[in-house]
């Protein structure tokens, strides 16, 4: 059973930065594909970014060039660095993980992931 714990959310002004972290346990971390999703009030959950076990990355168009996802297998952690934040980035951010042996697997749909964290709130004020 994979456990995921997100941290790093908070309140920031537009143009500011936040660093979210997702700590995983219960599985060989280097064999977990990891994604970040977000859900704003009244909206469906949407894909933000993903990183494969081969360290390939993929981003939603809305965050490309502003967000960066990375992983540190020695610390069992995936980080989402969020820069140039906008009010429309306000949402609960969720980390998701799926065991895999595919080096370049980068799913963007929430149904591709079995394990989810509890979420962390990100609020960007204008």
């Amino acid at each position: 059973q994979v456990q995921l714990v997100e941290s790093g959310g908070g309140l920031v002004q537009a143009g500011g930065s936040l660093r979210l972290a997702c700590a995983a346990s219960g599985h060989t971390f280097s064999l977990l594909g990891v994604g970040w999703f977000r859900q704003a009030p009244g909206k469906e959950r949407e894909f933000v970014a993903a990183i494969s076990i081969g360290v390939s990355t993929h981003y939603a168009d809305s965050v490309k060039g502003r967000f960066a996802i990375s992983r540190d297998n020695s610390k069992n952690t995936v980080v989402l660095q969020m820069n140039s934040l906008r009010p429309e980035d306000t949402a609960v951010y969720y980390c998701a993980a799926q065991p895999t042996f595919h080096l370049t697997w980068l799913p963007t749909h929430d149904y591709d992931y079995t394990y989810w964290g509890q979420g962390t709130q990100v609020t960007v004020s204008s």
Side-chain angles (χ1 to χ4, degrees):
Q1 188 78 5
V2 178
Q3 291 83 42
L4 302 173
V5 178
E6 301 98 335
S7 62
L11 173 64
V12 65
Q13 288 188 334
S17 298
L18 282 175
R19 179 179 179 273
L20 304 185
C22 174
S25 61
H27 194 278
T28 302
F29 184 76
S30 60
L31 295 179
L32 286 177
V34 177
W36 284 95
F37 292 76
R38 66 187 182 187
Q39 188 166 21
K43 295 187 177 181
E44 293 190 352
R45 187 162 54 189
E46 65 174 2
F47 169 76
V48 175
I51 187 163
S52 73
I53 63 171
V55 205
S56 300
T57 59
H58 182 65
Y59 299 91
D61 288 344
S62 59
V63 306
K64 202 171 293 183
R66 300 187 298 122
F67 291 12
I69 189 171
S70 61
R71 66 189 299 152
D72 186 339
N73 289 344
S74 68
K75 297 180 180 179
N76 291 358
T77 299
V78 167
V79 169
L80 183 68
Q81 179 66 44
M82 306 186 297
N83 301 322
S84 301
L85 283 162
R86 305 167 180 168
E88 54 264 38
D89 294 318
T90 295
V92 177
Y93 283 70
Y94 298 92
C95 171
Q98 180 64 32
T100 181
F101 291 105
H102 296 284
L103 289 175
T104 59
W105 186 66
L106 286 166
T108 61
H109 298 100
D110 54 7
Y111 53 71
D112 287 317
Y113 295 90
T114 300
Y115 303 102
W116 291 80
Q118 292 300 306
T120 185
Q121 176 70 47
V122 171
T123 302
V124 184
S125 63
S126 57

